[in-house]
Amino acid sequence: LDVRFDLGTAVVKPADRRRTAHGVLMAFCWVALFPVTAFVARFYKHLEPTWFQLHRWVNTAGVVLVLVALALGLAAGSRVHRAHMGLGIFVVIVLCAQMVLAFGCRPDKYAANRDRWATLHAWTGRGLYLFALANVFVGLNVMGAGKGAFAVVSVGVVFTWAMFIVQTCRMLRSRPSDNEFKFDERGEAGGGGAGGGGGGFTQLDDYDSDDDEDEDDVIMGVKGDDAELGLDP
């Protein structure tokens, strides 16, 4: 911002506009866009195939925005801030590798190495999120952003984590306990024991074992039923 006190004017320099656009795009992608798509993949897999298409293509759009933001930052002179630039380039490289992993290296659903792929994809996404989020705050400091910008980003992060925690708690509460059973189709209570007479109980399963590993293509990865919080995203 070039302030001319003698003329009573304030002019926004092109570099400042590029730097601001860089910061806004990066904050939007890492504080809002990627976490929301991870949330969809973690909790809405029952909306097949909508969740997967939404998750994949919105994340792809997010990667494009990140690349545009990186170019804007470099054009604005962010290269003079070596820590911010170095961490940002590292994040972008790993993000691109994550896209290759998602689009080009995903094994078939029933392949022997599917679990290993999903675990790698999930933890790469979580690590990306943490590094990128740290760099967002570093960038705000580099830009000399005011308290308002820090507050907006902080509120977004807190809201995202709260959303994941609340939904995870709801999911855990809705799961049946191990001692909950249902009658078999004949409605007979019993098993092989005395008074059983060949009937039986079937333990409740809240997840289809085939669906747990279905289409785990996540930029901020989440994996199956036993995943930790996906902030995977």
Short mmCIF file of all heavy atoms in Angstrom, two decimals, residues 24-60:
data_model
loop_
_atom_site.label_atom_id
_atom_site.label_comp_id
_atom_site.label_asym_id
_atom_site.label_seq_id
_atom_site.Cartn_x
_atom_site.Cartn_y
_atom_site.Cartn_z
N VAL A 24 -5.44 -15.09 0.29
CA VAL A 24 -6.87 -15.42 0.34
C VAL A 24 -7.12 -16.80 -0.26
O VAL A 24 -7.86 -17.62 0.31
CB VAL A 24 -7.71 -14.35 -0.38
CG1 VAL A 24 -9.15 -14.82 -0.56
CG2 VAL A 24 -7.68 -13.03 0.39
N LEU A 25 -6.51 -17.09 -1.41
CA LEU A 25 -6.71 -18.39 -2.05
C LEU A 25 -6.18 -19.54 -1.20
O LEU A 25 -6.84 -20.57 -1.04
CB LEU A 25 -6.05 -18.40 -3.43
CG LEU A 25 -6.76 -17.63 -4.54
CD1 LEU A 25 -5.93 -17.62 -5.81
CD2 LEU A 25 -8.14 -18.22 -4.81
N MET A 26 -4.98 -19.37 -0.66
CA MET A 26 -4.40 -20.43 0.16
C MET A 26 -5.22 -20.67 1.42
O MET A 26 -5.49 -21.82 1.80
CB MET A 26 -2.96 -20.07 0.53
CG MET A 26 -1.96 -20.23 -0.60
SD MET A 26 -1.81 -21.95 -1.14
CE MET A 26 -0.33 -21.85 -2.15
N ALA A 27 -5.64 -19.59 2.07
CA ALA A 27 -6.44 -19.75 3.28
C ALA A 27 -7.78 -20.43 2.95
O ALA A 27 -8.23 -21.31 3.69
CB ALA A 27 -6.67 -18.39 3.93
N PHE A 28 -8.39 -20.04 1.85
CA PHE A 28 -9.67 -20.64 1.46
C PHE A 28 -9.51 -22.14 1.22
O PHE A 28 -10.34 -22.95 1.68
CB PHE A 28 -10.21 -19.95 0.21
CG PHE A 28 -11.39 -20.65 -0.39
CD1 PHE A 28 -12.63 -20.61 0.23
CD2 PHE A 28 -11.27 -21.35 -1.58
CE1 PHE A 28 -13.72 -21.27 -0.31
CE2 PHE A 28 -12.36 -22.00 -2.14
CZ PHE A 28 -13.59 -21.97 -1.51
N CYS A 29 -8.47 -22.53 0.49
CA CYS A 29 -8.28 -23.95 0.17
C CYS A 29 -8.01 -24.79 1.40
O CYS A 29 -8.62 -25.85 1.59
CB CYS A 29 -7.14 -24.10 -0.84
SG CYS A 29 -7.54 -23.52 -2.50
N TRP A 30 -7.11 -24.32 2.28
CA TRP A 30 -6.66 -25.16 3.39
C TRP A 30 -7.51 -25.03 4.64
O TRP A 30 -7.52 -25.94 5.47
CB TRP A 30 -5.20 -24.86 3.71
CG TRP A 30 -4.30 -25.28 2.60
CD1 TRP A 30 -3.64 -24.48 1.71
CD2 TRP A 30 -3.96 -26.62 2.24
NE1 TRP A 30 -2.91 -25.24 0.82
CE2 TRP A 30 -3.09 -26.56 1.12
CE3 TRP A 30 -4.30 -27.87 2.74
CZ2 TRP A 30 -2.56 -27.70 0.52
CZ3 TRP A 30 -3.78 -29.01 2.13
CH2 TRP A 30 -2.92 -28.92 1.04
N VAL A 31 -8.24 -23.94 4.77
CA VAL A 31 -9.09 -23.77 5.96
C VAL A 31 -10.52 -24.20 5.67
O VAL A 31 -11.22 -24.63 6.59
CB VAL A 31 -9.04 -22.30 6.44
CG1 VAL A 31 -9.98 -22.09 7.63
CG2 VAL A 31 -7.62 -21.91 6.82
N ALA A 32 -10.95 -24.11 4.42
CA ALA A 32 -12.35 -24.40 4.10
C ALA A 32 -12.51 -25.55 3.10
O ALA A 32 -13.14 -26.56 3.40
CB ALA A 32 -13.04 -23.15 3.58
N LEU A 33 -11.94 -25.40 1.91
CA LEU A 33 -12.25 -26.31 0.81
C LEU A 33 -11.83 -27.75 1.09
O LEU A 33 -12.66 -28.68 1.05
CB LEU A 33 -11.60 -25.80 -0.47
CG LEU A 33 -12.01 -26.51 -1.75
CD1 LEU A 33 -13.50 -26.28 -2.03
CD2 LEU A 33 -11.18 -26.03 -2.93
N PHE A 34 -10.56 -27.98 1.36
CA PHE A 34 -10.08 -29.34 1.57
C PHE A 34 -10.70 -30.00 2.81
O PHE A 34 -11.07 -31.17 2.77
CB PHE A 34 -8.56 -29.37 1.66
CG PHE A 34 -7.87 -29.09 0.34
CD1 PHE A 34 -6.68 -28.40 0.29
CD2 PHE A 34 -8.43 -29.53 -0.85
CE1 PHE A 34 -6.04 -28.14 -0.92
CE2 PHE A 34 -7.81 -29.28 -2.07
CZ PHE A 34 -6.62 -28.58 -2.11
N PRO A 35 -10.83 -29.29 3.94
CA PRO A 35 -11.50 -29.92 5.09
C PRO A 35 -12.94 -30.34 4.81
O PRO A 35 -13.38 -31.38 5.28
CB PRO A 35 -11.42 -28.84 6.16
CG PRO A 35 -10.22 -28.03 5.82
CD PRO A 35 -10.21 -28.00 4.32
N VAL A 36 -13.68 -29.53 4.04
CA VAL A 36 -15.07 -29.89 3.75
C VAL A 36 -15.15 -31.15 2.89
O VAL A 36 -15.98 -32.03 3.14
CB VAL A 36 -15.79 -28.71 3.06
CG1 VAL A 36 -17.13 -29.16 2.47
CG2 VAL A 36 -16.02 -27.57 4.06
N THR A 37 -14.28 -31.26 1.90
CA THR A 37 -14.31 -32.47 1.07
C THR A 37 -13.88 -33.71 1.86
O THR A 37 -14.39 -34.80 1.63
CB THR A 37 -13.42 -32.30 -0.17
OG1 THR A 37 -12.08 -32.00 0.23
CG2 THR A 37 -13.93 -31.19 -1.05
N ALA A 38 -12.98 -33.53 2.80
CA ALA A 38 -12.60 -34.65 3.66
C ALA A 38 -13.77 -35.04 4.56
O ALA A 38 -14.01 -36.22 4.83
CB ALA A 38 -11.39 -34.27 4.51
N PHE A 39 -14.50 -34.04 5.03
CA PHE A 39 -15.68 -34.29 5.87
C PHE A 39 -16.71 -35.11 5.10
O PHE A 39 -17.29 -36.06 5.64
CB PHE A 39 -16.27 -32.95 6.31
CG PHE A 39 -17.41 -33.06 7.27
CD1 PHE A 39 -17.18 -33.16 8.63
CD2 PHE A 39 -18.72 -33.05 6.81
CE1 PHE A 39 -18.23 -33.27 9.52
CE2 PHE A 39 -19.78 -33.15 7.69
CZ PHE A 39 -19.53 -33.26 9.05
N VAL A 40 -16.93 -34.76 3.86
CA VAL A 40 -17.88 -35.49 3.02
C VAL A 40 -17.44 -36.95 2.87
O VAL A 40 -18.23 -37.88 2.99
CB VAL A 40 -18.02 -34.82 1.65
CG1 VAL A 40 -18.79 -35.71 0.68
CG2 VAL A 40 -18.71 -33.47 1.79
N ALA A 41 -16.15 -37.15 2.62
CA ALA A 41 -15.64 -38.51 2.43
C ALA A 41 -15.69 -39.32 3.72
O ALA A 41 -15.87 -40.53 3.69
CB ALA A 41 -14.20 -38.45 1.91
N ARG A 42 -15.53 -38.65 4.85
CA ARG A 42 -15.50 -39.37 6.12
C ARG A 42 -16.88 -39.79 6.59
O ARG A 42 -17.06 -40.88 7.12
CB ARG A 42 -14.84 -38.48 7.18
CG ARG A 42 -14.73 -39.13 8.57
CD ARG A 42 -13.79 -40.31 8.52
NE ARG A 42 -13.66 -40.95 9.81
CZ ARG A 42 -14.41 -41.97 10.21
NH1 ARG A 42 -15.34 -42.45 9.41
NH2 ARG A 42 -14.24 -42.53 11.39
N PHE A 43 -17.87 -38.94 6.38
CA PHE A 43 -19.16 -39.16 7.02
C PHE A 43 -20.33 -39.38 6.06
O PHE A 43 -21.43 -39.68 6.51
CB PHE A 43 -19.50 -37.97 7.92
CG PHE A 43 -18.51 -37.77 9.03
CD1 PHE A 43 -17.66 -36.68 9.02
CD2 PHE A 43 -18.41 -38.67 10.08
CE1 PHE A 43 -16.74 -36.48 10.04
CE2 PHE A 43 -17.49 -38.49 11.09
CZ PHE A 43 -16.64 -37.39 11.08
N TYR A 44 -20.11 -39.24 4.76
CA TYR A 44 -21.25 -39.34 3.84
C TYR A 44 -21.01 -40.35 2.72
O TYR A 44 -21.49 -40.17 1.60
CB TYR A 44 -21.56 -37.96 3.26
CG TYR A 44 -22.16 -37.04 4.29
CD1 TYR A 44 -21.33 -36.15 4.98
CD2 TYR A 44 -23.51 -37.08 4.60
CE1 TYR A 44 -21.86 -35.32 5.96
CE2 TYR A 44 -24.04 -36.25 5.57
CZ TYR A 44 -23.22 -35.37 6.25
OH TYR A 44 -23.73 -34.55 7.21
N LYS A 45 -20.31 -41.43 3.04
CA LYS A 45 -20.07 -42.45 2.02
C LYS A 45 -21.34 -43.19 1.62
O LYS A 45 -21.35 -43.87 0.60
CB LYS A 45 -19.02 -43.44 2.51
CG LYS A 45 -17.61 -42.91 2.43
CD LYS A 45 -16.60 -44.00 2.72
CE LYS A 45 -15.19 -43.48 2.51
NZ LYS A 45 -14.17 -44.53 2.76
N HIS A 46 -22.37 -43.07 2.42
CA HIS A 46 -23.62 -43.73 2.07
C HIS A 46 -24.30 -43.05 0.87
O HIS A 46 -25.20 -43.62 0.26
CB HIS A 46 -24.58 -43.75 3.26
CG HIS A 46 -24.91 -42.40 3.80
ND1 HIS A 46 -24.03 -41.69 4.60
CD2 HIS A 46 -26.00 -41.61 3.65
CE1 HIS A 46 -24.59 -40.53 4.93
NE2 HIS A 46 -25.78 -40.45 4.36
N LEU A 47 -23.87 -41.83 0.55
CA LEU A 47 -24.43 -41.12 -0.61
C LEU A 47 -23.61 -41.46 -1.85
O LEU A 47 -22.95 -40.62 -2.44
CB LEU A 47 -24.42 -39.61 -0.36
CG LEU A 47 -25.20 -39.13 0.86
CD1 LEU A 47 -25.07 -37.62 1.01
CD2 LEU A 47 -26.67 -39.54 0.75
N GLU A 48 -23.63 -42.71 -2.21
CA GLU A 48 -22.86 -43.22 -3.33
C GLU A 48 -23.63 -43.01 -4.62
O GLU A 48 -24.83 -43.28 -4.66
CB GLU A 48 -22.59 -44.72 -3.11
CG GLU A 48 -21.68 -45.38 -4.08
CD GLU A 48 -20.24 -44.94 -3.89
OE1 GLU A 48 -19.79 -44.89 -2.76
OE2 GLU A 48 -19.60 -44.65 -4.91
N PRO A 49 -23.01 -42.54 -5.71
CA PRO A 49 -21.60 -42.16 -5.85
C PRO A 49 -21.36 -40.65 -5.71
O PRO A 49 -20.30 -40.17 -6.06
CB PRO A 49 -21.28 -42.61 -7.27
CG PRO A 49 -22.57 -42.31 -8.02
CD PRO A 49 -23.68 -42.57 -7.03
N THR A 50 -22.38 -39.95 -5.23
CA THR A 50 -22.29 -38.48 -5.18
C THR A 50 -21.11 -38.01 -4.36
O THR A 50 -20.37 -37.10 -4.76
CB THR A 50 -23.59 -37.89 -4.61
OG1 THR A 50 -24.70 -38.33 -5.41
CG2 THR A 50 -23.54 -36.37 -4.61
N TRP A 51 -20.90 -38.65 -3.19
CA TRP A 51 -19.83 -38.19 -2.31
C TRP A 51 -18.48 -38.29 -3.01
O TRP A 51 -17.63 -37.40 -2.87
CB TRP A 51 -19.80 -39.02 -1.01
CG TRP A 51 -19.16 -40.36 -1.15
CD1 TRP A 51 -19.75 -41.55 -1.39
CD2 TRP A 51 -17.75 -40.64 -1.06
NE1 TRP A 51 -18.83 -42.56 -1.47
CE2 TRP A 51 -17.58 -42.03 -1.27
CE3 TRP A 51 -16.62 -39.85 -0.83
CZ2 TRP A 51 -16.34 -42.64 -1.25
CZ3 TRP A 51 -15.37 -40.47 -0.82
CH2 TRP A 51 -15.25 -41.86 -1.02
N PHE A 52 -18.29 -39.38 -3.75
CA PHE A 52 -16.99 -39.61 -4.37
C PHE A 52 -16.71 -38.61 -5.48
O PHE A 52 -15.61 -38.05 -5.58
CB PHE A 52 -16.92 -41.04 -4.89
CG PHE A 52 -15.61 -41.36 -5.55
CD1 PHE A 52 -14.45 -41.45 -4.81
CD2 PHE A 52 -15.53 -41.56 -6.92
CE1 PHE A 52 -13.23 -41.74 -5.42
CE2 PHE A 52 -14.34 -41.86 -7.53
CZ PHE A 52 -13.18 -41.94 -6.77
N GLN A 53 -17.71 -38.39 -6.34
CA GLN A 53 -17.52 -37.45 -7.43
C GLN A 53 -17.31 -36.03 -6.90
O GLN A 53 -16.44 -35.29 -7.38
CB GLN A 53 -18.74 -37.50 -8.37
CG GLN A 53 -18.93 -38.84 -9.06
CD GLN A 53 -17.72 -39.26 -9.88
OE1 GLN A 53 -17.03 -38.42 -10.46
NE2 GLN A 53 -17.45 -40.56 -9.93
N LEU A 54 -18.10 -35.65 -5.91
CA LEU A 54 -17.94 -34.34 -5.30
C LEU A 54 -16.56 -34.19 -4.69
O LEU A 54 -15.85 -33.20 -4.91
CB LEU A 54 -19.01 -34.13 -4.23
CG LEU A 54 -18.96 -32.82 -3.45
CD1 LEU A 54 -19.29 -31.65 -4.36
CD2 LEU A 54 -19.91 -32.86 -2.26
N HIS A 55 -16.16 -35.20 -3.94
CA HIS A 55 -14.89 -35.17 -3.24
C HIS A 55 -13.71 -35.09 -4.22
O HIS A 55 -12.80 -34.28 -4.05
CB HIS A 55 -14.77 -36.43 -2.39
CG HIS A 55 -13.49 -36.50 -1.63
ND1 HIS A 55 -13.24 -35.75 -0.52
CD2 HIS A 55 -12.37 -37.23 -1.85
CE1 HIS A 55 -12.03 -36.02 -0.07
NE2 HIS A 55 -11.48 -36.91 -0.85
N ARG A 56 -13.75 -35.91 -5.26
CA ARG A 56 -12.64 -35.96 -6.20
C ARG A 56 -12.51 -34.67 -6.99
O ARG A 56 -11.43 -34.07 -7.07
CB ARG A 56 -12.82 -37.15 -7.15
CG ARG A 56 -11.90 -37.09 -8.35
CD ARG A 56 -12.00 -38.34 -9.20
NE ARG A 56 -11.20 -39.43 -8.66
CZ ARG A 56 -10.96 -40.56 -9.32
NH1 ARG A 56 -11.48 -40.76 -10.50
NH2 ARG A 56 -10.22 -41.50 -8.77
N TRP A 57 -13.60 -34.18 -7.55
CA TRP A 57 -13.49 -33.06 -8.48
C TRP A 57 -13.37 -31.72 -7.77
O TRP A 57 -12.71 -30.80 -8.27
CB TRP A 57 -14.64 -33.07 -9.47
CG TRP A 57 -14.59 -34.31 -10.32
CD1 TRP A 57 -15.49 -35.33 -10.35
CD2 TRP A 57 -13.53 -34.68 -11.22
NE1 TRP A 57 -15.07 -36.31 -11.22
CE2 TRP A 57 -13.87 -35.93 -11.77
CE3 TRP A 57 -12.35 -34.06 -11.63
CZ2 TRP A 57 -13.07 -36.59 -12.69
CZ3 TRP A 57 -11.55 -34.72 -12.55
CH2 TRP A 57 -11.92 -35.97 -13.07
N VAL A 58 -13.97 -31.60 -6.59
CA VAL A 58 -13.77 -30.36 -5.82
C VAL A 58 -12.33 -30.28 -5.33
O VAL A 58 -11.70 -29.21 -5.34
CB VAL A 58 -14.76 -30.28 -4.64
CG1 VAL A 58 -14.43 -29.09 -3.73
CG2 VAL A 58 -16.19 -30.14 -5.15
N ASN A 59 -11.77 -31.41 -4.92
CA ASN A 59 -10.35 -31.41 -4.53
C ASN A 59 -9.45 -31.08 -5.71
O ASN A 59 -8.43 -30.40 -5.55
CB ASN A 59 -9.98 -32.78 -3.95
CG ASN A 59 -10.28 -32.87 -2.48
OD1 ASN A 59 -10.21 -31.89 -1.76
ND2 ASN A 59 -10.63 -34.06 -2.02
N THR A 60 -9.80 -31.58 -6.88
CA THR A 60 -9.02 -31.25 -8.07
C THR A 60 -9.04 -29.74 -8.32
O THR A 60 -8.01 -29.13 -8.62
CB THR A 60 -9.57 -31.99 -9.30
OG1 THR A 60 -9.52 -33.41 -9.05
CG2 THR A 60 -8.77 -31.66 -10.54
#
